[in-house]
Amino acid sequence: MEKTGATIIDIARSLGISKTAVSAALHGGGRVSESTRIRVLDEARRMGYVSNRAAQRLRGGRHGAIGLSVPADVGELSFYMELAFGAASAAAEAGSDLLLLADAPAGARRPSLDGVIIVDPTPESFGPLAERVASAPIVTVGEYRGDDSDRVAAWIAADHVALVGEVLDGIVMQGARTPALIGLPEDREPAWAHDVSRGYSAWCAARGVTSTVVRLSLDPDEDDLRRTLGTVRDTGCDSVVWVAQSLVLRALAADLASGLIMATMAAEPGTLGLVGADLRAREYGRSAARLLLAVLEGEVLPGTHEVHEARVVLPT
């Protein structure tokens, strides 16, 4: 559908702002404040502006779709779903579709994408994905430090080193003195989980606390969970920070954590009653999609790193 009488220039004149700001607010490709974005969208609706998305795609040589890849062994399903909803919302505002990328066999058809967001990339997962999307720009959620890292155009991540310090301070307020960290296997952890381990060790060193890191797979059985918590108790630790929320949920459900103060690095506020890091998943996805769209518009420099604002939640 062709746009009706109102144009981007008309909206810009009505609001007294630049047409570049209006275009960014309408199409998601630039950096404007949320208040400006809302003003522009409201004015566009009032003036009857309808964007001709098909024409935009033809002019830009675009497919009109971006991809999203999440880890195959998802443990925090709700987190990734919320992140995907946020990314889809930002893509739609820019006139693009969002395609969820599943594992594909060798030789599978390459998807027609303008760019792709890869969440929690690891050396094991990144290479096949990068090959599958050919030359499409890649934005990662979480830093990628493995082979072919030069394929990453930009990345966004929360400051997990600082977050784990705040989580540890939170459980100290609850009486913890000797916290342990239950992390992921070193060969399976993405960069953010490694940063959690690094932040935990730094926090312990600064306070003269013995560092106790125990590794546990994402799919342990109940005996594995029981043995792991037994190891934590045997070391004299009185509290645990879990890197993976799915594991703390299982430990709580099986009543295996008696006597230990618990915290998690991926909390859902109000549902666990624990100290935890709220990563604001939906806004995380929106920000990642907007960053990719800015890459596609040539509005950010290669290697750009954005810090996603997360927060620590304390039990009420």
Side-chain angles (χ1 to χ4, degrees):
M1 177 186 299
E2 282 296 330
K3 62 190 179 203
T4 57
T7 67
I8 285 177
I9 294 175
D10 295 331
I11 298 170
R13 286 174 177 165
S14 175
L15 295 176
I17 60 178
S18 71
K19 65 179 182 179
T20 300
V22 171
S23 179
L26 290 172
H27 304 138
R31 290 290 178 267
V32 294
S33 68
E34 191 62 24
S35 61
T36 297
R37 191 181 305 277
I38 291 170
R39 286 177 61 214
V40 169
L41 293 175
D42 286 346
E43 186 67 5
R45 281 190 290 269
R46 188 189 71 79
M47 298 181 73
Y49 175 87
V50 179
S51 173
N52 185 348
R53 294 178 178 179
Q56 290 172 7
R57 292 172 184 175
L58 288 173
R59 287 196 298 270
R62 301 276 180 81
H63 299 290
I66 60 175
L68 175 70
S69 172
V70 300
D73 52 353
V74 167
E76 279 71 51
L77 181 59
S78 61
F79 170 80
Y80 293 105
M81 286 180 63
E82 284 294 306
L83 187 145
F85 285 139
S89 174
E93 290 173 4
S96 289
D97 298 321
L98 183 75
L99 178 65
L100 185 62
L101 300 179
D103 287 342
R109 183 180 67 84
R110 288 177 172 172
S112 298
L113 299 171
D114 297 319
V116 64
I117 302 164
I118 300 179
V119 184
D120 295 348
T122 65
E124 181 181 37
S125 65
F126 184 85
L129 279 167
E131 181 178 355
R132 187 180 174 200
V133 301
S135 60
I138 295 172
V139 162
T140 60
V141 174
E143 185 181 7
Y144 176 64
R145 301 166 184 164
D147 294 339
D148 298 322
S149 59
D150 58 333
R151 283 293 315 276
V152 178
W155 55 284
I156 181 170
D159 185 350
H160 291 281
V161 172
L163 278 174
V164 70
E166 292 183 47
V167 167
L168 288 161
D169 289 341
I171 60 174
V172 166
M173 292 169 58
Q174 294 186 319
R177 293 293 177 267
T178 52
L181 180 77
I182 297 183
L184 305 178
E186 290 184 88
D187 62 344
R188 300 291 300 278
E189 66 178 3
W192 73 266
H194 176 77
D195 286 346
V196 169
S197 298
R198 186 162 58 88
Y200 164 77
S201 296
W203 184 92
C204 291
R207 290 159 180 77
V209 175
T210 300
S211 173
T212 303
V213 178
V214 182
R215 303 284 178 176
L216 184 63
S217 71
L218 276 171
D219 55 351
D221 58 28
E222 187 170 315
D223 287 339
D224 290 331
L225 281 168
R226 184 176 287 105
R227 281 192 294 269
T228 298
L229 289 170
T231 298
V232 168
R233 292 186 177 93
D234 290 343
T235 61
C237 293
D238 60 7
S239 48
V240 176
V241 175
W242 298 77
V243 170
Q245 179 176 318
S246 59
L247 298 185
V248 69
L249 289 172
R250 289 182 57 190
L252 290 170
D255 197 24
L256 299 177
S258 177
L260 292 171
I261 299 172
M262 308 270 275
T264 174
M265 290 305 299
E268 296 177 14
T271 64
L272 296 179
L274 304 176
V275 176
D278 174 15
L279 296 177
R280 301 171 59 244
R282 191 167 293 225
E283 189 56 37
Y284 214 162
R286 289 180 62 85
S287 297
R290 287 175 179 169
L291 180 58
L292 176 57
L293 293 164
V295 168
L296 294 174
E297 295 295 331
E299 296 175 351
V300 298
L301 296 173
T304 291
H305 166 212
E306 289 191 359
V307 178
H308 172 63
E309 184 180 348
R311 59 195 176 202
V312 170
V313 178
L314 301 177
T316 55

